Amino acid sequence: MSYALSVEPANWWVGMKKNTITLMLHEQNIANTQFKLLPYQGVELTNATRTENPNYVFLHVTISDTAQAGTLKFNSSDNNNFSFSLLERTKNSAEREGFSSKDTVYLINPDRFVNGDKQNDTVSGMLEKVNPTFKGGRHGGDIQGVINALPYLKDLGITQLWLTPVLENNMPDYSYHGYAITDFYNVDPRMGSNSLYKSLSIKAKDQGIGLVMDMVLNHFGAEHKWMKDKPSKDWINFNGEFKNGKNATSHARQTIQDPHASEYDKRQFNDGWFVASMPDLNQRQPLLSEYLIQNALWWIEYADLSGIRVDTYSYSDKAFLTAWTKAIMDEYPHFNIVGEEWTSNPAIASYWQRKKVNQDGYTSSLPSIMDFSLQEALIQALNEEESWSTGWVKVYQSLANDFLYPDTDNIMVFADNHDMSRVYTELKQDLAKTKMAMTMLLTTRGIPQIYYGTEVLLDNTPSKDHGDIRIDFPGGFEHQQANAFTGEDLTADQHSMHTMMSALLHFRKTSPALTNGKLTHFSPKNGVYSYARLSDEQTVLVFLNKNAQTINQELDYMKEVLPHNTKAKDILSNETHMLKSKLTLKPMSATVLVINK
């Protein structure tokens, strides 16, 4: 097989802290080619690295502070010359603000959200065609659809978008989810293009919405050119072989922290493949490590990102993870990165957060982590009968474990996501419970993440198939009657849920107590969980009543956060209450009271 010359990355920027970059060149028998950089002030080709594969050369280029934007010209001994662009950075790029507890993140599976461009549903050269009637197939949603939905998302009160991966996934089937990437530098043409993705970022920012990119460091798609032509023999773990599952990951994430774990078990977790279609990358390979670091910095700068979500975070080599996150945070000190560590054990999850002092001496640079403990506890709390060990106490205990985290404000909280049944489904299609769940997530500590369609009660009952969990958003596709964008043909419950969530989201955007206030919670009593968010300017009180009857809640226990005879407004009902000795709580309800000082 012959290969045309490819150069990755396609460009870089002047004024970056990361001023030594590595260009990956791929072409048939390129290893014997010698390269020379024509004179360019402030830029030097320092050396080249070659591996045992004759089809790759890695050029190491240093860009000094004196370099200006322009075009680098590389001449080669076989006259296959190429140019490389150095660009100006966007003003104040390094000082960009990442997503934070001031935000609410809206998670979208783009293929299932809105079909904004029917012309790209099926694209020549892509292995999988559109198949909207198959739950595991491509349904046609795309980046243009997300752009079209921006006014709706702004009206809802969203401030950040997290899209599951939109990069090329040229796989023969189940490519819609995006996690088997076959090109780390190009958007899948069925989703749009790099320029359209950049346009989404610009147009979202115009609506006050940031863009969070979903990145995959642990694995890639088996149709990537690296499987046919590995850059080096150690580029892929277990010699690039799945061996009928013998080299599959154990998913035993506790081996990373376990002081008694064997090296065999550690390797089986870190180096093992998810499935045959997702080969596992060896981040201990220095050239691959550099490639992944540069790729992340390139997308942040190119698309003006406000954050990154890292898939299967702990499955990658942990020394590499520190280097990767540190490189990003050094370049963008106010940026944010959240890692997926799917465990309900906060002792394991907290290990990865920046500034955690770990027993084994491991130092992480990851700012944020996902709170699977609270997600699990919340579902259990709302489905269980109340007792000393069940019900709301599960949530209370989960949050009580916050002493394990160095930064509890920078934890991402959620009721569901693209890999689990929807919250409305898990709560047995109970509107009142779903409202309580979302009220809690939007008022507790941390950064709330909402899965698309929660605001209109999307449901995957009775199936747990991922294709049903990632169902089409109502109004995003021609065949649907219900339309969440216009409200047409939505049920009364869907309208009620949407109204409540929008009210909370808009209040949250302007509430100092919810965005950066201290959390003080009280041990659940008689089916009621209550807590306060406290800032200098404002107090927010939250009461979650799981009882099927009205409760006259005694307030004496809240004296430390609630002055006597205080007037408060219920932001969900707009009622005003004089808080004396008792507060009436409606059956199966969430009450959110605000006291402005």
Side-chain angles (χ1 to χ4, degrees):
M1 182 180 293
S2 61
Y3 304 99
L5 177 66
S6 70
V7 181
E8 294 179 312
N11 66 272
W12 204 249
W13 293 264
V14 294
M16 297 280 284
K17 185 167 285 190
K18 173 73 172 166
N19 60 3
T20 299
I21 61 171
T22 300
L23 309 185
M24 175 192 276
L25 276 56
H26 183 221
E27 188 187 29
Q28 191 75 20
N29 293 320
I30 198 174
N32 294 324
T33 303
Q34 300 301 311
F35 290 91
K36 179 182 179 181
L37 171 63
L38 298 187
Y40 192 101
Q41 184 174 351
V43 181
E44 180 184 1
L45 173 59
T46 52
N47 65 306
T49 298
R50 293 167 173 82
T51 68
E52 72 286 344
N53 187 335
N55 299 331
Y56 288 88
V57 171
F58 297 84
L59 302 182
H60 306 288
V61 178
T62 300
I63 306 163
S64 75
D65 292 341
T66 63
Q68 301 293 312
T71 302
L72 306 182
K73 295 185 182 299
F74 292 85
N75 283 355
S76 68
S77 57
D78 61 0
N79 292 318
N80 196 356
N81 306 329
F82 71 94
S83 299
F84 185 84
S85 296
L86 285 181
L87 306 177
E88 291 280 1
R89 300 181 76 180
T90 302
K91 187 178 180 181
N92 298 322
S93 175
E95 300 305 313
R96 72 185 63 224
E97 291 288 338
F99 65 88
S100 70
S101 58
K102 297 177 182 178
D103 290 303
T104 301
V105 181
Y106 193 83
L107 166 58
I108 295 173
N109 290 112
D111 181 68
R112 305 301 173 85
F113 191 54
V114 180
N115 189 344
D117 182 2
K118 296 175 188 173
Q119 299 301 312
N120 65 13
D121 288 0
T122 292
V123 175
S124 176
M126 305 305 289
L127 297 175
E128 189 175 17
K129 314 303 180 185
V130 68
N131 188 2
T133 60
F134 174 44
K135 66 178 67 176
R138 300 192 75 93
H139 290 191
D142 48 34
I143 294 170
Q144 185 60 53
V146 181
I147 291 173
N148 295 350
L150 287 174
Y152 166 82
L153 296 170
K154 180 184 179 182
D155 288 345
L156 182 61
I158 299 303
T159 61
Q160 297 282 341
L161 288 181
W162 157 22
L163 275 57
T164 54
V166 296
L167 299 184
E168 183 192 277
N169 261 249
N170 197 12
M171 300 291 288
D173 51 25
Y174 291 94
S175 65
Y176 77 93
H177 59 71
Y179 289 97
I181 294 169
T182 55
D183 188 329
F184 283 92
Y185 276 102
N186 282 297
V187 166
D188 194 296
R190 293 162 296 187
M191 286 286 169
S193 63
N194 284 15
S195 61
L196 190 65
Y197 184 70
K198 186 174 184 177
S199 180
L200 166 62
S201 180
I202 294 169
K203 291 180 178 180
K205 184 174 285 187
D206 288 343
Q207 302 277 6
I209 299 172
L211 183 60
V212 178
M213 192 174 200
D214 200 336
M215 291 192 176
V216 187
L217 306 175
N218 176 68
H219 52 268
F220 65 110
E223 294 298 323
H224 194 292
K225 65 183 180 183
W226 291 341
M227 282 300 285
K228 301 178 181 66
D229 198 27
K230 288 187 293 184
S232 68
K233 62 184 178 182
D234 57 350
W235 202 260
I236 303 168
N237 282 320
F238 286 114
N239 298 315
E241 297 179 89
F242 188 59
K243 290 189 176 179
N244 295 319
K246 291 182 180 179
N247 291 332
T249 179
S250 65
H251 298 291
R253 53 185 36 79
Q254 67 274 8
T255 58
I256 303 302
Q257 295 88 1
D258 180 3
H260 314 296
S262 66
E263 292 303 315
Y264 171 83
D265 285 337
K266 291 178 184 179
R267 182 177 183 230
Q268 202 65 35
F269 168 64
N270 273 136
D271 293 5
W273 298 23
F274 266 54
V275 290
S277 61
M278 292 181 177
D280 201 79
L281 290 167
N282 175 22
Q283 301 88 10
R284 295 179 296 274
Q285 215 292 343
L287 293 169
L288 173 59
S289 172
E290 180 75 356
Y291 180 95
L292 293 172
I293 289 170
Q294 288 180 176
N295 181 256
L297 294 172
W298 189 91
W299 278 111
I300 296 168
E301 198 70 25
Y302 173 80
D304 198 16
L305 301 178
S306 63
I308 293 171
R309 179 263 184 184
V310 184
D311 182 64
T312 57
Y313 187 81
S314 64
Y315 288 76
S316 296
D317 177 74
K318 69 179 187 178
F320 159 77
L321 288 171
T322 294
W324 185 86
T325 49
K326 185 177 186 302
I328 295 170
M329 299 309 298
D330 283 350
E331 194 73 56
Y332 308 97
H334 311 298
F335 196 67
N336 207 352
I337 310 167
V338 60
E340 178 198 31
E341 173 64 313
W342 195 328
T343 176
S344 59
N345 185 347
I348 292 176
S350 63
Y351 177 88
W352 299 105
Q353 195 176 32
R354 182 173 58 184
K355 297 184 180 179
K356 178 66 182 289
V357 178
N358 290 306
Q359 184 183 26
D360 64 359
Y362 178 69
T363 300
S364 178
S365 295
L366 179 70
S368 178
I369 197 75
M370 302 179 80
D371 196 345
F372 283 89
S373 170
L374 185 60
Q375 186 277 332
E376 181 180 281
L378 182 59
I379 299 301
Q380 291 175 347
L382 286 163
N383 280 331
E384 293 174 348
E385 294 294 326
E386 288 294 309
S387 75
W388 68 272
S389 61
T390 58
W392 282 125
V393 70
K394 296 284 184 69
V395 167
Y396 183 81
Q397 290 171 341
S398 178
L399 288 167
N401 283 323
D402 275 2
F403 70 91
L404 292 165
Y405 293 97
D407 186 359
T408 54
D409 287 334
N410 207 357
I411 298 174
M412 184 169 282
V413 297
F414 55 99
D416 57 6
N417 64 25
H418 58 299
D419 287 325
M420 57 179 66
S421 279
R422 289 177 170 273
V423 59
Y424 186 56
T425 304
E426 287 294 297
L427 297 177
K428 302 175 177 60
Q429 300 170 305
D430 188 310
L431 174 64
K433 288 182 178 181
T434 306
K435 284 185 174 183
M436 277 191 273
M438 299 313 297
T439 298
M440 198 234 155
L441 285 172
L442 291 172
T443 57
T444 191
R445 58 89 173 115
I447 307 162
Q449 169 250 296
I450 298 169
Y451 191 31
Y452 78 98
T454 300
E455 72 274 17
V456 288
L457 300 173
L458 289 193
D459 182 20
N460 55 280
T461 304
S463 169
K464 289 187 179 293
D465 186 276
H466 279 189
D468 288 321
I469 292 167
R470 305 161 184 171
I471 58 178
D472 294 347
F473 187 79
F477 301 85
E478 278 189 343
H479 63 273
Q480 299 163 309
Q481 287 187 328
N483 190 323
F485 299 111
T486 65
E488 185 178 2
D489 284 329
L490 296 184
T491 67
D493 281 357
Q494 287 176 306
H495 279 293
S496 177
M497 188 70 191
H498 187 282
T499 298
M500 185 220 76
M501 284 190 59
S502 184
L504 271 176
L505 286 164
H506 281 283
F507 172 70
R508 195 177 188 286
K509 287 171 70 172
T510 60
S511 169
L514 294 186
T515 55
N516 56 31
K518 175 188 174 184
L519 170 65
T520 298
H521 67 164
F522 298 89
S523 182
K525 294 180 181 179
N526 302 319
V528 176
Y529 177 49
S530 57
Y531 52 94
R533 299 295 307 278
L534 306 161
S535 72
D536 292 340
E537 308 93 335
Q538 187 183 71
T539 295
V540 173
L541 305 175
V542 182
F543 300 87
L544 302 173
N545 177 23
K546 233 175 78 178
N547 295 284
Q549 65 274 355
T550 298
I551 296 292
N552 289 315
Q553 183 79 354
E554 299 279 354
L555 297 178
D556 285 350
Y557 70 97
M558 301 187 82
K559 286 180 180 179
E560 65 191 86
V561 299
L562 178 60
H564 191 59
N565 287 339
T566 299
K567 184 183 291 186
K569 182 179 179 181
D570 188 330
I571 68 160
L572 298 179
S573 69
N574 287 321
E575 297 174 350
T576 299
H577 299 270
M578 185 61 72
L579 302 179
K580 297 182 179 179
S581 60
K582 293 183 180 180
L583 175 68
T584 300
L585 303 178
K586 296 177 182 178
M588 295 296 293
S589 68
T591 302
V592 182
L593 303 178
V594 59
I595 303 166
N596 291 314
K597 299 177 183 178

